[in-house]
Amino acid sequence: MLTADRIIAASLMALSAYFMWHATALPIGWNGMTGGPGGGAFPFWLSAIMFVMAGAIILRSFGQARRDTGEPFFDQDTLRSVVLVVIALVVTVALMPWAGAYIALPLFLFWYLKVFGNHGWTLTMILTIATPTFLFFFFEVTLKILLPKGFTEPYFIPLYARFF
Amino acid sequence: MELLGHLADGFATSLSPLNLFIVLIGVTAGLFIGAMPGLGSVNGVAIVLPITFIVPPSSAIILLAAIYYGAMYGGAVSSILLGIPGASTAVATTFDGRPMAQQGKAGLALIAAACASFVGGTISVILFTLFAAPLADVALAFGPAEEFALVLLAFTTFVGLGGDDVLKTIIMICLGLALSTVGLDLISGQPRLIFFDQPGFYSGISFLVLAIGIYGIGEILYTIETQKTAPQVTPAKLTFTDLWYGIKEINKLWKTMSFGSIMGFFVGMLPAAGATPAALMAYGIAKLTSKKSDQFGKGAIEGVAAPETANNAASTGSLLPMLTLGIPGSPTTALLLGGMVMWGLVPGPMLFIEQPDFVWGLISSLYTANLAAVLVNLALIPLFVWALRMPFTVLCSIVFILCIVGGFAPSQKMHDVWLIVGFGVFGYILRKADYPMAPLVLALVLGPLMEKSFRQTLISEQGNVMAFVERPLSGAFIAISVVFFLLPMLKHFKRWFGRGTAATN
């Protein structure tokens, strides 16, 4: 737990340093002419506070060392599930611009329900088919918001002709 | 009398068939979202916000408010039937709701929760109606200096009263504010913090992206990790005799409920407090003052009624500063505020003058939403029992799909979808390490206002920083902020001195 706390605080310090570096592209100091801070001042100084606070967490953690329960940060059994789901999400989002939402999302549903969730075929197939159909009618037909189609775009042209 | 006239005009809007229909849909959706373990009002609003484009803005906000209300009612359902709070706001309801269910009185507990929620909702909406216009009048005198001081005050309440680790709270506030500066500089229009030269960052980071990431994806990841086994649903049967008996029992609890409602309303107004502490406080006070305090924790109906009135009242209370001052009192209202800004309605005192139809339409729809919620809640109890048996993986997969598509829809950029997944994982890890999420979301929503008001004040005052303290109202706000900020340090010193004398540990 303590190690995880330190790693997270250190990553936050790195993140704030990165923010600060970016913020210096604009003036971060006090501008006497306009009477106020420059455009980079807000992000710079806020990140600076973040940097100091994260540093304080690390320093404080050394004082707490003897109170550490040694409890692991992640539950080993369930961490596997979380990692699998995150990978599936990333794959799905990466697939969307290339293969389109109507391939990526049903694939995700199928994997989640059948492989990950161990559900029966009936439930899996109903949800895998019904959800994209609902999305199509809700977003594309009703709201006129086109979801990414990728290479499946040509197959939708007859549908567009039918509904628009 | 002017008030009643406004309210009557409002009812003309909220009783239109479209708005009544929207309230019914919203309340029902909210009830189900609230009843699902792990999902509460904030998750419901975050997931549904992107698809509210289907209705006009004034109806969209009514829909969201109805979901908010419905979710507050729904939270009690899983607290009672599963013993797991449907949302953190319903934690206190498990204390007595669960024992009641185990004694076979689940139906009675659900009725008590619904009726108490109705009482809490109604009393607080009346308070809301009374306070809204006067508060907006006061707020009319606010300039940028007061706005800045008020936002600062909102953040310091998280430090002083939030109860989370102070260092972590400050980090989350600063991170939210820093993320809100991504995009174009408000004053000079120059691009800043364009990470990795991605053009998607030029339009800034939308609060929606952060909210869907944290409250949609992050929340489900968190629930996947924490819920290993499927919880047991207690069956609940409901008859009209039960209903009648429940209402009679609830009628005896007026003192507890009025107190819970009024306290809940005022606690809900504070940015860092909100519905969860309000419910816990109401429970504690009901237990202290009750004649049957030994029954508490063993299935006292009072122990269900007290927190349920308070959490509903608090959710109305947190709408008050959001609508009148433009400062949200909770993460959910922060999302409502973000939604309103997106639709071109800027909350704050001017809204009462420029868009009275909208404001009073919304206020009056809180009355209809409250009534709809109690009726739908009572009518659908058998359906909730069935829905709670739904396998968790089915719910998760649908929420994930809604997050991805809902995140894409408003801007139609894959950039936002990637950010949502990123924020989801980031939020999940930070939440595990006890970093509070509410200040982060609030800071991202309020960040632009804070920076703009700060820099506007300095420009108009020729760089005189003392302007913030010299103006009486803003000076007072800043003074209170300083107190809140120093509060945790004072506690720390007290403990430190205490340790010095006791010399133990």
Side-chain angles (χ1 to χ4, degrees), chain A residues 1 5 8-9 12 15 18-19 22-23 26 30 34-39 42-43 46-47 49-50 53-54 56-57 60 73-75 77-78 81-82 85-86 89-90 93-94 96-97 105 108-109 112-113 117 119 123 127 131 135 138-139 142-143 145-148, chain B residues 51 53-54 165 167-168 170-171 174-175 177-179 181 185 188 190-196 217 221 224-225 228 391 393-394 396-398 400-401 404-405 408-409 412 414 417-418 421 425-426 428-430 432-435 450-451 454-455 458-459 462-463 465:
Chain A
M1 193 66 202
D5 220 29
I8 290 170
L12 283 171
L15 186 72
Y18 179 64
F19 279 16
H22 255 291
L26 265 67
W30 202 268
T34 56
F42 233 67
L46 286 165
S47 307
I49 299 174
M50 216 168 102
M53 293 294 154
I57 287 182
R60 188 181 60 180
F73 185 66
F74 286 111
D75 186 322
D77 303 338
T78 43
S81 315
V82 175
V85 172
V86 171
L89 277 172
V90 169
V93 178
M96 267 171 77
L105 298 181
F108 175 79
L109 278 171
Y112 203 96
L113 294 166
H119 288 289
L123 181 87
L127 277 172
T131 316
L135 291 178
F138 190 85
F139 283 99
T142 319
L143 294 180
I145 291 173
L146 300 182
L147 299 178
Chain B
I51 47 184
F53 294 114
I54 195 166
D165 189 330
L167 293 176
K168 289 176 178 175
I170 298 175
I171 290 178
C174 291
L175 179 61
L177 290 173
L179 288 176
T181 64
D185 175 21
S188 68
Q190 286 167 296
R192 56 182 177 181
L193 300 188
I194 309 297
F195 306 123
F196 308 111
I217 293 190
L221 290 179
I224 290 176
E225 203 206 323
K228 285 187 193 171
T393 37
V394 173
C396 292
S397 63
I398 292 174
F400 279 136
I401 299 285
I404 293 176
V405 180
F408 177 80
Q412 293 167 42
M414 284 310 286
V417 183
W418 280 114
V421 176
V425 177
F426 176 79
Y428 158 74
I429 293 173
L430 285 186
K432 271 193 73 69
D434 296 324
Y435 284 81
M450 190 176 190
E451 188 186 1
F454 183 70
R455 289 170 67 182
L458 286 177
I459 290 171
Q462 280 94 39
V465 194

Side-chain angles (χ1 to χ4, degrees), chain B residues 191-395:
Chain B
R192 56 182 177 181
L193 300 188
I194 309 297
F195 306 123
F196 308 111
D197 285 324
Q198 288 286 318
F201 284 114
Y202 276 92
S203 46
I205 294 175
S206 157
F207 76 99
L208 249 183
V209 167
L210 183 76
I212 297 177
I214 285 175
Y215 292 115
I217 293 190
E219 187 84 45
I220 296 284
L221 290 179
Y222 189 78
T223 324
I224 290 176
E225 203 206 323
T226 43
Q227 283 196 355
K228 285 187 193 171
T229 47
Q232 210 63 42
V233 184
T234 316
K237 271 200 251 59
L238 200 65
T239 58
F240 277 102
T241 22
D242 276 344
L243 189 61
W244 186 237
Y245 178 71
I247 292 172
K248 258 191 355 206
E249 280 293 300
I250 275 287
N251 240 325
K252 296 178 193 157
L253 304 174
W254 273 106
K255 214 182 84 193
T256 312
M257 290 196 297
S258 349
F259 182 78
S261 310
I262 294 168
M263 189 205 65
F265 180 77
F266 288 105
V267 172
M269 278 169 59
L270 295 169
T276 311
L280 288 167
M281 280 159 78
Y283 183 86
I285 291 167
K287 188 176 172 180
L288 272 178
T289 55
S290 172
K291 289 187 199 90
K292 293 181 269 184
S293 57
D294 55 318
Q295 289 297 310
F296 272 71
K298 295 173 193 151
I301 193 164
E302 229 179 320
V304 175
E308 278 303 305
T309 41
N311 70 20
N312 274 59
S315 61
T316 317
S318 69
L319 283 171
L320 186 69
M322 188 278 273
L323 207 59
T324 53
L325 310 176
I327 309 289
S330 69
T332 317
T333 47
L335 298 185
L336 292 178
L337 180 118
M340 284 170 73
V341 172
M342 212 161 64
W343 297 311
L345 298 158
V346 181
M350 286 312 281
L351 197 68
F352 281 74
I353 294 168
E354 287 167 355
Q355 308 264 1
D357 300 350
F358 167 76
V359 170
W360 292 100
L362 175 64
I363 294 175
S364 63
S365 75
L366 296 179
Y367 288 87
T368 52
N370 204 21
L371 188 65
V374 71
L375 295 178
V376 174
N377 187 351
L378 290 175
L380 294 188
I381 285 176
L383 209 57
F384 288 133
V385 178
W386 175 80
L388 283 178
R389 292 217 175 90
M390 181 165 81
F392 191 65
T393 37
V394 173
L395 177 75

